[in-house]
Amino acid sequence: MAAAGGAALGQSALAAGEPSAIPNPVPYRPSLPVPGAVAAAGIEDARFPDGFLWGMATASYQVEGAWNEDGKGESIWDRFAHGAGHIKGSDTGDVACDHYHLYQQDIALLKRLNQKSYRFSIAWSRIQPNGTGAPNQKGIDHYKRVMDAVLEGGIRPFCTLYHWDLPQWAEDKGGWPNRDLAGYFADYAGILARELGDRITVWAPFNMPWEFTYYGYGIGIFPPGKADFNQFLKAAHTVSLAQGECFRAIKGASSKATVGSAYGMAPAYPKTDSEADHAATARFHAMKNVFFLNAALKGEYPKAFVGEPPYELMGMRPGDDKIMRAPLDWVGFHYYTRRIVSEAGKAHTGAQQQYGTEVVADTGDTNGSDPYTQYHAVMPTEGPLTHAGLEVWPRGIYDLVTKISRDYDHPIIEISECGCCYMDTPYEKENGRIPDERRIAFFKGVLAELARAIADGAKVRAFHAWSLLDNFEWNDGYSQRYGLTYVDFRDQKRTVKDSGLWYGRVAASNRLS
Ligand code: FCB
């Protein structure tokens, strides 16, 4: 019976030694010009400055596993993934890449690939498993050991304090809409800076603060799964207070510390040349890209709203501008893709399109609706699409980096994440190599455009490829692969993809070919 079933699925026809049933795609050699692609000369000529920090990124819940070991408490992502119906294939981060146990091997990979910076995140629920107060020594000791391995490899640790895995106890107190979380977060930051400040000097409070507040409280696709725009507004304000408090807690505990950010950004272009579309594009940029950056650097929110800002709903109090303000030492942000934006007015549906962690949020009057920003943002499909459905548009990083440079007085910039999803697997005919040529093409284009921004004066000092490893991709579970290293989740075997080998050569030579 089993054999017959297999045959019906086309699985049992292969004799031993025959090539795999699902061959790898033919190498990516587009014969027609690819819209948005960078000309070959732009890639040939691209150069990066001496000392440029080539890096790779991961995040605790996506790679660590060991979800309940060494005293770790439950996080909202543990709860969400364990609940039915949230994650594709019912996948969870319980084991993920088992990086918690295999970190030495993974850091050795970074070293082998000539990496100079490792962006990772700490799981708050390992440090304070059950509530505020005394930390869990086993959790702290784990990260001390990881940092020692990173530093021994001659690699700079870049620590994100919060990559979405809120301790469940903090959610039980109301989560980010509860203003008290700013204080709890500052306590946690102080503990980290005291315990790890001798090893870590580069800190980012939050990964993609707009996304986790909007997705978690505004539209409910992330934990805790709430869909209420007013809750999002409150959560966003708490996070911006927390960002300021965290800045001061870290600086107060570690004199060597520098504090920056890891915002999610997407350059936005107006759909038409109308004044209304230009204004909507500016609101999108204010909301998605620089809401928290502006709060930190200027102590005020940028103009993301039509009419009077809903400060009361956000829970703003007199003096909050001073709490929000934090003169970041450097500005970190991600680049994946771009948006086209138009004025939404009030006659629209509230529909959303989701591409992994990139949600193109419409506005409207249902489910996550928002009468305040009134923009309509879509991701165009002029360029090629990755397996995750994101448009490949190299020019976007140039426009974004140069805009942030101009608007914020030429800060030091770190690209905290950039990458693409393709599903290439080991190819038996080539000794198990992983010829992920589309990923190489993606990075060549984006990096050529980044080099051009640097040549035009932007002070970019680091670039982190997402990701060191294929890993747990949030709602998509293990069905999306962003790694420059392939992970076989059945036995945790790592194999560096062709893109990883190529990126290692880029890191050694500061050029793309
Ligand atoms: C970013 C997230 C990261 C990963 C990539 C693909 O938005 O910060 O954790 O999921 O997308």
Side-chain angles (χ1 to χ4, degrees):
M1 265 323 280
L9 293 170
Q11 287 168 356
S12 60
L14 291 176
E18 275 189 63
S20 130
I22 306 170
N24 255 43
V26 281
Y28 178 64
R29 285 199 191 90
S31 50
L32 295 170
V34 177
V38 176
I43 291 163
E44 283 291 318
D45 296 347
R47 296 288 179 277
F48 286 82
D50 286 347
F52 190 77
L53 293 164
W54 296 97
M56 292 184 178
T58 63
S60 48
Y61 189 70
Q62 295 181 276
V63 299
E64 283 181 351
W67 78 280
N68 59 359
E69 277 184 50
D70 290 343
K72 179 181 167 297
E74 188 189 23
S75 81
I76 57 172
W77 270 94
D78 293 319
R79 174 86 50 108
F80 193 67
H82 290 157
H86 294 137
I87 312 292
K88 203 175 228 178
S90 298
D91 288 339
T92 73
D94 289 2
V95 179
C97 310
D98 202 19
H99 183 67
Y100 190 80
H101 298 112
L102 301 179
Y103 68 89
Q104 280 170 313
Q105 160 180 347
D106 294 336
I107 291 160
L109 274 180
L110 289 168
K111 192 173 172 202
R112 186 179 141 208
L113 299 177
N114 307 310
Q115 299 302 295
K116 290 287 176 289
S117 179
Y118 176 41
R119 176 168 173 251
F120 69 103
S121 79
I122 290 183
W124 186 355
S125 57
R126 292 194 193 282
I127 307 299
Q128 293 184 301
N130 305 309
T132 53
N136 169 31
Q137 196 57 44
K138 282 189 173 167
I140 290 174
D141 289 345
H142 168 74
Y143 290 109
K144 283 188 174 167
R145 288 191 295 271
V146 176
M147 289 306 95
D148 288 343
V150 170
L151 292 167
E152 274 162 28
I155 299 163
R156 178 197 73 158
F158 169 143
C159 175
T160 310
L161 283 87
Y162 184 88
H163 201 124
W164 305 349
D165 40 0
L166 184 70
Q168 186 61 45
W169 62 259
E171 183 52 43
D172 292 343
K173 289 178 187 290
W176 288 109
N178 174 3
R179 192 180 162 102
D180 293 346
L181 262 72
Y184 304 149
F185 189 67
D187 285 349
Y188 160 61
I191 294 170
L192 294 188
R194 277 193 299 281
E195 297 283 350
L196 294 158
D198 55 339
R199 293 164 170 87
I200 302 172
T201 59
V202 178
W203 304 88
F206 292 107
N207 181 67
M208 302 175 82
W210 177 79
E211 285 77 359
F212 78 77
T213 50
Y214 187 65
Y215 301 174
Y217 300 93
I219 56 175
I221 59 166
F222 274 7
K226 301 202 170 136
D228 174 348
F229 196 77
N230 293 351
Q231 291 293 299
F232 153 67
L233 289 174
K234 285 207 167 55
H237 186 53
T238 306
V239 165
S240 124
L241 298 172
Q243 178 178 245
E245 298 280 23
C246 170
F247 177 92
R248 288 179 289 278
I250 290 179
K251 294 277 186 169
S254 167
S255 57
K256 293 191 285 187
T258 69
V259 180
S261 60
Y263 302 127
M265 293 197 189
Y269 307 85
K271 184 174 178 191
T272 72
D273 216 17
S274 73
E275 216 173 282
D277 284 355
H278 277 276
T281 305
R283 292 197 297 279
F284 172 89
H285 179 71
M287 183 87 263
K288 178 177 159 71
N289 295 343
V290 297
F291 200 69
F292 298 90
L293 177 60
N294 219 81
L297 295 185
K298 302 191 174 164
E300 63 182 22
Y301 290 117
K303 294 191 172 39
F305 307 109
V306 175
E308 278 301 299
Y311 288 151
E312 209 170 310
L313 285 175
M314 294 172 78
M316 284 268 263
R317 295 183 190 165
D320 279 1
D321 54 328
K322 292 194 187 63
I323 303 177
M324 282 151 51
R325 198 171 192 128
L328 302 178
D329 298 293
W330 47 273
V331 176
F333 53 88
H334 315 343
Y335 175 68
Y336 284 90
T337 190
R338 64 171 175 156
R339 298 283 193 284
I340 304 292
V341 183
S342 54
E343 157 72 34
K346 287 190 178 129
H348 39 80
T349 61
Q352 288 145 19
Q353 296 161 280
Q354 187 181 353
Y355 305 91
T357 54
E358 298 280 331
V359 169
V360 177
D362 204 340
T363 56
D365 53 9
T366 57
N367 185 28
S369 66
D370 148 22
Y372 304 103
T373 57
Q374 294 188 20
Y375 57 69
H376 178 75
V378 297
M379 191 196 62
T381 54
E382 190 184 340
L385 306 184
T386 67
H387 186 84
L390 299 185
E391 187 205 31
V392 178
W393 198 256
R395 164 85 198 217
I397 197 168
Y398 177 89
D399 292 340
L400 183 60
V401 163
T402 50
K403 179 167 176 57
I404 297 296
S405 294
R406 276 195 309 274
D407 292 356
Y408 292 93
D409 200 16
H410 300 277
I412 294 169
I413 290 175
E414 300 221 0
I415 302 302
S416 35
E417 278 181 32
C418 180
C420 53
C421 170
Y422 292 109
M423 298 306 287
D424 306 280
T425 55
Y427 193 30
E428 285 172 39
K429 279 188 185 166
E430 297 200 28
N431 298 326
R433 266 183 55 218
I434 297 144
D436 57 337
E437 298 196 23
R438 291 168 297 181
R439 183 171 285 104
I440 296 176
F442 171 90
F443 279 117
K444 277 188 176 167
V446 164
L447 286 168
E449 286 295 79
L450 183 63
R452 199 159 68 83
I454 295 171
D456 287 352
K459 293 197 240 160
V460 184
R461 74 171 177 202
F463 179 89
H464 299 86
W466 184 269
S467 172
L468 166 62
L469 303 167
D470 290 336
N471 59 47
F472 176 86
E473 182 48 37
W474 309 115
N475 303 52
D476 293 309
Y478 299 100
S479 72
Q480 295 194 353
R481 292 181 179 271
Y482 276 88
L484 281 77
T485 304
Y486 180 84
V487 177
D488 187 328
F489 293 102
R490 294 167 298 193
D491 61 5
Q492 295 296 346
K493 184 175 176 227
R494 275 81 162 132
T495 309
V496 178
K497 301 179 189 178
D498 281 4
S499 60
L501 300 172
W502 170 83
Y503 190 65
R505 293 194 293 275
V506 170
S509 64
N510 287 333
R511 48 192 294 174
L512 305 177
S513 54

